[in-house]
Amino acid sequence: MQATVNWRDGLVFEAESGSGHSVTMDGNKAEAASPMELVLMAAGGCSSVDVVSILEKARQQVSAVRCEVKGERADAVPAVFTKVHLHFVVTGTDVADKHVERAVALSADKYCSVAKMLEASVQLTHSYSIENV
């Protein structure tokens, strides 16, 4: 796996993945998300992929999944994340609590590479709620 990051101007950078996808980053958060915001988004995205995949395999009738990610950072430089909380909101018809609980736990404990990497130095927590429609 690889990526290339090119400076555009100011504190704005364009990153391109080895697979050819790109994202803009902005250290001032004026034009794009900051690199630290992208870390939170990556954790939420990685875990969401797992949760959706697991729920689909469990044949749950899911119509939406939202992952709300909150991070707390250290007061000193480097301002690393000290705590990250991922809250999943799963919407669907007759979605079983046991399946959502299992999907979130499997993502946290086994599958999400981003979360597993972060948990080495960050207090990582998870929760969920279900909105039946």
Side-chain angles (χ1 to χ4, degrees):
M1 195 172 280
Q2 65 182 29
T4 303
V5 179
N6 289 301
W7 177 40
R8 204 169 75 195
D9 59 34
L11 293 178
V12 178
F13 297 83
E14 295 292 331
E16 184 175 336
S17 68
S19 60
H21 297 86
S22 63
V23 64
T24 302
M25 299 177 281
D26 185 351
N28 289 324
K29 298 186 260 186
E31 290 187 38
S34 73
M36 290 300 281
E37 289 173 317
L38 289 172
V39 170
L40 290 181
M41 292 190 286
C46 183
S47 289
S48 294
V49 166
D50 297 335
V51 168
V52 168
S53 177
I54 293 164
L55 290 174
E56 285 181 340
K57 287 176 185 167
R59 302 185 194 278
Q60 295 299 289
Q61 296 178 40
V62 175
S63 57
V65 173
R66 181 175 72 247
C67 183
E68 300 166 350
V69 188
K70 294 184 181 170
E72 293 181 26
R73 296 176 71 182
D75 291 331
V77 174
V80 298
F81 286 114
T82 56
K83 295 179 182 179
V84 172
H85 181 75
L86 292 86
H87 178 74
F88 295 90
V89 180
V90 178
T91 304
T93 305
D94 298 323
V95 176
D97 184 82
K98 70 178 183 175
H99 287 295
V100 176
E101 180 178 27
R102 179 177 176 272
V104 170
L106 282 171
S107 176
D109 298 336
K110 185 173 182 180
Y111 293 117
C112 179
S113 302
V114 176
K116 296 305 282 180
M117 187 171 53
L118 286 174
E119 76 179 12
S121 60
V122 176
Q123 180 185 344
L124 201 56
T125 56
H126 299 76
S127 62
Y128 66 90
S129 58
I130 300 170
E131 296 177 347
N132 279 303
V133 291

